[in-house]
């Protein structure tokens, strides 16, 4: 289920202690932590934060007074990397680990592994935008947890990083309501641009990105098959790509989008033959086969036996009538 949630919180300089605690929790969860250790706020302290989940990615923008904070990560935080996407730079931002500064982002963007308990400090009033992306989405780019805790990304050397910053700013300015197709298209664009910012050579042949997108399409098809026919235009729209790009994802010897859908449909029918007492005719019709002869030929060609032989082998017998 693709989702897009937009949330915001504003902290006035004269806020109460309870409101300040509320800000701390909101701030921590926006960095995928479950809490922030007591912050040495200098009063008056103010802030304005907006965040948006776009499928499995999180975009956060905030403006605050100076601070330094230590986060306690929740169990899911380690599955993400963070990318500071503010451009142009609006103030010094330092990442800390074990009381040692590991990355200064005075004039750069940067990426960090979100698994470690870390400190984060901002020395002047600033506004910044951060993108959190699942590590599995970046695995194809060559990023591996543990390679480095944090490193800067030069926006001058990585035009994709500047484009990504513009995209994220636009995402947060959109109305709260967003269709699933739009959310998925934005998510895929953000991940692709981030891969380009980290490892631009991966985009040269686009194989890594294509593999990731192809897997997402296949997962989407498997989830939609029970609800009826699937067209290339439906799949392309759901993933924010053109029909031509969709077909290119499955362009290979003996492979096409249509053949992938047919294989998935036949496998669903096979699984139901294995677990259901329904008749073969009922199962075939459920998975889009109106011609029983065609279904029988496809099943035998793929699995090397007839549906009757398959059920006999697995001791599955249909209901009478």
């Amino acid at each position: 289920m693709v989702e897009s949630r937009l949330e915001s919180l504003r902290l006035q300089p004269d806020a109460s202690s309870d409101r300040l605690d509320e800000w701390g929790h909101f701030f921590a969860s926006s960095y995928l932590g479950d809490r922030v250790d007591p912050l040495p706020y200098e009063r008056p302290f103010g802030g304005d934060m907006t965040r948006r989940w776009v499928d499995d990615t999180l975009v956060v923008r905030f403006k605050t007074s100076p601070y330094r904070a230590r986060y306690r990560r929740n169990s899911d935080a380690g599955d993400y990397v963070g990318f500071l996407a503010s451009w142009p730079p609006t103030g010094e931002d330092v990442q800390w680990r074990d009381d040692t500064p590991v990355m200064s982002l005075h004039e750069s963007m940067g990426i960090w592994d979100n698994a470690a308990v870390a400190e984060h400090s901002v020395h002047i009033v600033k506004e910044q935008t951060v993108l959190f992306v699942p590590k599995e989405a970046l695995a194809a780019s060559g990023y591996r947890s543990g390679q480095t805790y944090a490193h800067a990304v030069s926006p001058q050397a990585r035009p994709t990083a500047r484009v990504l910053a513009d995209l994220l700013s636009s995402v947060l300015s959109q109305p709260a309501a967003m269709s699933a197709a739009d959310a998925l298209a934005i998510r895929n664009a953000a991940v692709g641009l981030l891969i380009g910012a980290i490892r631009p050579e991966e985009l040269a042949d686009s194989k890594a990105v294509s593999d990731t997108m192809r897997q997402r399409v296949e997962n989407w098809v498997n989830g939609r098959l029970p609800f009826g026919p699937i067209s290339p235009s439906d799949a392309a729209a759901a993933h924010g790509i053109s029909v031509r790009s969709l077909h290119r994802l499955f362009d290979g010897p003996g492979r096409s989008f249509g053949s992938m859908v047919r294989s998935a449909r036949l496998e669903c029918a096979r699984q139901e033959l294995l677990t259901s007492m329904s008749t073969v005719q009922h199962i075939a019709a459920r998975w889009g086969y109106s011609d029983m002869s065609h279904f029988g030929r496809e099943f035998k060609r793929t699995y090397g036996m007839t549906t009757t032989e398959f059920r006999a082998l697995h001791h599955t017998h249909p209901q009478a009538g």
Side-chain angles (χ1 to χ4, degrees):
M1 178 67 178
V2 178
E3 64 174 345
S4 177
R5 301 196 312 270
L6 184 66
E7 302 169 296
S8 61
L9 182 66
R10 174 169 292 179
L11 183 72
Q12 300 293 347
D14 58 351
S16 66
S17 296
D18 288 343
R19 186 67 169 172
L20 200 59
D21 288 341
E22 181 183 359
W23 169 270
H25 288 296
F26 191 85
F27 189 92
S29 61
S30 297
Y31 270 77
L32 303 181
D34 54 9
R35 69 183 179 89
V36 177
D37 285 356
L39 301 178
Y41 293 120
E42 295 183 8
R43 304 301 295 268
F45 178 88
D48 194 347
M49 179 174 291
T50 301
R51 66 187 182 193
R52 183 169 213 152
W53 279 99
V54 183
D55 194 18
D56 56 356
T57 63
L58 176 63
V59 186
V60 183
R61 179 177 61 207
F62 68 93
K63 182 176 182 179
T64 71
S65 304
Y67 68 90
R68 180 172 177 176
R70 177 179 290 270
Y71 310 102
R72 300 296 180 184
R73 304 302 191 190
N74 62 32
S75 58
D76 296 328
D79 296 332
Y80 284 77
V81 296
F83 180 70
L84 178 63
S86 299
W87 180 256
T90 55
E92 186 172 2
D93 188 346
V94 181
Q95 297 291 326
W96 302 72
R97 187 182 189 186
D98 299 329
D99 297 321
T100 302
V102 295
M103 179 175 63
S104 178
L105 299 174
H106 184 60
E107 295 181 350
S108 300
M109 301 177 181
I111 185 168
W112 65 89
D113 189 328
N114 212 46
V117 175
E119 289 188 12
H120 170 86
S121 62
V122 175
H123 304 304
I124 64 174
V125 175
K126 72 169 298 181
E127 182 174 349
Q128 69 179 24
T129 303
V130 177
L131 169 68
F132 291 97
V133 173
K135 290 177 182 176
E136 65 178 17
L138 297 181
S141 73
Y143 176 86
R144 293 292 182 272
S145 176
Q147 284 182 335
T148 180
Y149 172 67
H151 64 268
V153 175
S154 169
Q156 291 87 351
R158 298 285 188 268
T160 48
R162 299 198 300 273
V163 175
L164 176 58
D166 291 340
L167 172 65
L168 299 181
S169 178
S170 177
V171 166
L172 291 171
S173 64
Q174 296 300 311
M178 181 182 292
S179 71
D182 286 340
L184 191 57
I186 291 171
R187 181 268 186 201
N188 292 338
V191 171
L193 287 168
L194 183 54
I195 291 173
I198 303 169
R199 293 281 299 273
E201 64 274 15
E202 294 293 336
L203 295 183
D205 60 13
S206 71
K207 181 181 184 302
V209 178
S210 295
D211 289 346
T212 300
M213 176 63 79
R214 183 167 53 250
Q215 186 60 57
R216 288 180 66 86
V217 172
E218 290 177 357
N219 292 342
W220 180 86
V221 166
N222 287 327
R224 287 291 302 273
L225 277 175
F227 303 102
I230 295 175
S231 69
S233 58
D234 290 338
H239 293 83
I241 58 178
S242 68
V243 173
R244 182 179 179 183
S245 295
L246 176 76
H247 286 304
R248 279 203 301 266
L249 289 174
F250 296 89
D251 185 19
R255 185 174 68 182
S256 67
F257 175 77
S259 66
M260 182 273 292
V261 173
R262 288 191 294 272
S263 295
R265 180 181 292 117
L266 191 62
E267 176 59 19
C268 288
R270 187 189 75 87
Q271 289 292 332
E272 191 164 346
L273 284 168
L274 186 65
T275 60
S276 170
M277 294 294 104
S278 298
T279 64
V280 174
Q281 290 85 350
H282 177 84
I283 293 173
R286 168 173 162 75
W287 295 106
Y289 292 93
S290 57
D291 186 334
M292 281 299 300
S293 297
H294 174 67
F295 173 68
R297 288 193 301 270
E298 285 291 299
F299 191 93
K300 185 172 183 178
R301 181 181 64 82
T302 302
Y303 300 111
M305 65 184 75
T306 66
T307 55
T308 301
E309 292 168 339
F310 177 79
R311 280 191 144 171
L313 178 65
H314 295 283
H315 308 290
T316 305
H317 304 286
Q319 295 173 336

